[in-house]
Amino acid sequence: MKLVRASCPCGFVTNKARWGYHFFRWWFPAFDWQQRRLVDHSLALPEDEQRQLMTYGTHEDCTRRCAEAEPQITTQLRAARPADAPLFVTEQEINEARMRCPQCRQPTLSIQTVVVWANCRTDCGNRYHWHDTGELGCPICSHRPHSFEIGDELEAPERCICYCNCSTLTVCRSYEDCYCPKCGNLPGSYDIDGVAYCGLHHSRLVPYRRLTSSLLVRGPVCRRDSHRFPFARHWGDARPDEESVEGGYCEACDAALSAYAIERGGVG
């Protein structure tokens, strides 16, 4: 999976979108004239089939099944799009795409691959172009990176650092289209000029002291559904005499956790 955006010589530039394959899912971009932006459409193998392949299949089985599924996936996605808003599927279609620019009204809006830099771990220090989620890793030490930068967004007025749930951070201009270069997901949390926000509710995190160990938790923890309230105070506030660290919680996540606990009768 690669990141792409559309731009015109007149200066009009769109958001980023995803294009390609990653982990049993395919993304293909299209231009939405009404929204004046790129949108990506995706389909994936059924979850039960994914689990079956991950549990019992070999690497060759997964590769073969995805090769079989891709033509069906692309045909299905193309059929669902209006004739005047086609999907861009192949590299040739991406390279040859010319659309009417909503700013200058000329057929000069084209799609380009977004430049992504990967930063290797400190003891290697290599900084290199990251072309696709399928990259094996650093060409010097083979380490899979956890730090990325969007090449033309480093000079943005606001410094936005996005943290993905796959333990990856990306420096960019905005969380709104900061798809993780390694897994394709939007950030679970992000910092704007050093201020932390919840990636789910986009609300500023409130500082609090949290326990350092879940073994010390005093209340119910909804482990199975914790993704629904990732920045709630799952472990509760630490007392002054307890070992704790500085943390941050989202008031919306906290309210959702409280409502969940009431609904479940206080059982996590």
Side-chain angles (χ1 to χ4, degrees):
M1 183 278 298
K2 299 179 181 180
L3 299 177
V4 295
R5 68 159 59 95
S7 65
C8 178
C10 75
F12 178 79
V13 180
T14 69
N15 57 298
K16 297 189 290 292
R18 294 160 292 188
W19 165 48
Y21 165 81
H22 177 73
F23 199 67
F24 304 123
R25 179 172 290 276
W26 290 261
W27 288 277
F28 300 111
F31 186 71
D32 188 308
W33 176 260
Q34 291 186 335
Q35 298 186 60
R36 297 163 53 101
R37 68 193 308 271
L38 283 181
V39 292
D40 49 37
H41 300 268
S42 74
L43 278 177
L45 292 181
E47 290 188 6
D48 57 344
E49 185 176 2
Q50 293 185 36
R51 286 193 294 269
Q52 186 80 5
L53 286 168
M54 291 298 294
T55 304
Y56 303 107
T58 64
H59 176 73
E60 290 73 19
D61 292 333
C62 294
T63 301
R64 183 173 58 253
R65 176 63 186 117
C66 289
E68 293 172 353
E70 184 167 349
Q72 302 166 4
I73 294 285
T74 55
T75 299
Q76 187 175 346
L77 284 170
R78 283 188 195 273
R81 294 294 299 168
D84 59 347
L87 286 177
F88 301 105
V89 174
T90 67
E91 186 169 6
Q92 182 177 351
E93 290 173 342
I94 291 285
N95 293 335
E96 296 179 354
R98 294 296 182 272
M99 300 164 285
R100 185 160 59 97
C101 173
Q103 182 166 283
C104 69
R105 304 286 172 164
Q106 298 300 311
T108 49
L109 186 67
S110 60
I111 300 176
Q112 305 86 33
T113 303
V114 173
V115 174
V116 178
W117 291 96
N119 300 306
C120 197
R121 56 189 175 186
T122 306
D123 59 352
C124 174
N126 189 29
R127 185 172 184 263
Y128 58 98
H129 281 294
W130 181 262
H131 300 289
D132 193 285
T133 53
E135 292 273 348
L136 296 177
C138 174
I140 294 177
C141 70
S142 299
H143 177 73
R144 289 279 285 175
H146 294 282
S147 173
F148 297 93
E149 299 170 347
I150 304 301
D152 60 349
E153 298 183 356
L154 300 181
E155 303 302 322
E158 290 184 323
R159 179 178 172 83
C160 185
I161 303 177
C162 295
Y163 301 93
C164 182
N165 292 330
C166 75
S167 301
T168 294
L169 70 85
T170 303
V171 180
C172 61
R173 69 181 175 193
S174 172
Y175 63 88
E176 293 179 332
D177 63 350
C178 185
Y179 299 107
C180 174
K182 197 155 68 173
C183 74
N185 290 320
L186 285 171
S189 64
Y190 53 90
D191 292 354
I192 298 178
D193 289 338
V195 179
Y197 293 82
C198 169
L200 182 61
H201 298 102
H202 308 295
S203 56
R204 185 170 179 169
L205 299 186
V206 180
Y208 82 111
R209 301 297 301 184
R210 63 179 179 84
L211 295 167
T212 57
S213 174
S214 61
L215 298 176
L216 302 177
V217 66
R218 292 185 296 274
V221 181
C222 312
R223 293 180 179 87
R224 185 183 60 188
D225 295 321
S226 60
H227 63 281
R228 293 167 52 184
F229 16 77
F231 287 96
R233 288 174 289 184
H234 293 278
W235 316 122
D237 292 285
R239 293 190 294 263
D241 61 333
E242 292 180 315
E243 186 178 348
S244 63
V245 294
E246 182 80 16
Y249 76 93
C250 165
E251 292 178 323
C253 284
D254 223 40
L257 175 60
S258 297
Y260 180 96
I262 293 172
E263 179 185 339
R264 296 293 298 266
V267 179

